[in-house]
Amino acid sequence: MGRTVPSVDERTETRTSTEGAWKVIVHNDPVNLMSYVVMVFRRVFGYSRQKAERHMMEVHEQGRSLLWSGEREVAESYVHTLHRWQLTATLEKDEEG
């Protein structure tokens, strides 16, 4: 006897983004060179040189910069990657997202 496959309407929907958006914030530190920070932003996020430099200057002048926002799992991955590059980064809930 054949196995009955449930219709799409009968399947349980998996929700991956129920928590809203999360922000990846990088913070200023006294250790890393500005050129190094720009290189990391370009490699990790694929930013153009101009965009990476803008974020680096924001970190330098304001102490932090919002680099990315979206699903929590992706944001956590970015934070982990930035930590591996020795940058100080945090994950924050986006109350607007």
Side-chain angles (χ1 to χ4, degrees), residues 36-66:
Y36 176 77
V37 173
V38 169
M39 182 272 300
V40 172
F41 292 171
R42 294 189 73 197
R43 287 198 181 172
V44 173
F45 295 97
Y47 288 168
S48 67
R49 177 172 300 283
Q50 182 180 14
K51 185 172 183 176
E53 288 175 351
R54 188 175 72 242
H55 281 285
M56 177 275 300
M57 287 306 297
E58 188 172 275
V59 171
H60 179 69
E61 294 171 353
Q62 299 177 22
R64 59 187 271 150
S65 182
L66 168 62

